[in-house]
Amino acid sequence: MTITITPAASQRMRQFLAQTPAAVGVRFGVRRTGCSGFGYVVDLAERVDAGDSVVEIDGVPVVVDAGSLPLVDGTVIDFQRQGLNAGFVFHNPNATGQCGCGESFTVG
């Protein structure tokens, strides 16, 4: 599994983890949603389930479920601020298209 986290995303994830000591890491994956098929999910992981893959990136444990892994392998996760908005941004080499608002993506 190859997932890259930029320094800005790593810092933001470590802030979330520091506020929730019971979390075992950050869960990253996808769910079916939106007009293009899949949407990203980033949340605190309360546990590691059977079939999950865990990789530590820059001190951040990242938990990915088996179903999401082929869809997010190779993704670069960034955290960006634009005016009053801030959020994670994903650069996924597996995505072949995305909706106009960028909230969901398709794979080929």
Side-chain angles (χ1 to χ4, degrees):
M1 167 173 58
T2 304
I3 293 174
T4 305
I5 301 174
T6 66
S10 174
Q11 179 182 5
R12 186 66 173 151
M13 289 177 182
R14 282 188 263 124
Q15 288 172 344
F16 283 127
L17 289 169
Q19 294 172 356
T20 312
V24 298
V26 173
R27 183 167 293 281
F28 175 53
V30 298
R31 61 182 164 83
R32 288 203 171 274
T33 187
C35 51
S36 289
F38 295 99
Y40 296 103
V41 176
V42 179
D43 203 354
L44 295 174
E46 297 176 357
R47 64 186 179 282
V48 176
D49 296 325
D52 285 348
S53 294
V54 181
V55 62
E56 187 166 316
I57 306 166
D58 192 24
V60 176
V62 178
V63 181
V64 181
D65 67 272
S68 294
L69 185 57
L71 300 172
V72 299
D73 193 26
T75 298
V76 176
I77 304 172
D78 193 10
F79 183 79
Q80 296 179 354
R81 293 185 185 277
Q82 295 178 351
L84 297 176
N85 298 317
F88 291 105
V89 177
F90 309 97
H91 305 282
N92 185 343
N94 303 301
T96 57
Q98 67 180 16
C99 67
C101 64
E103 291 296 317
S104 61
F105 68 99
T106 57
V107 292

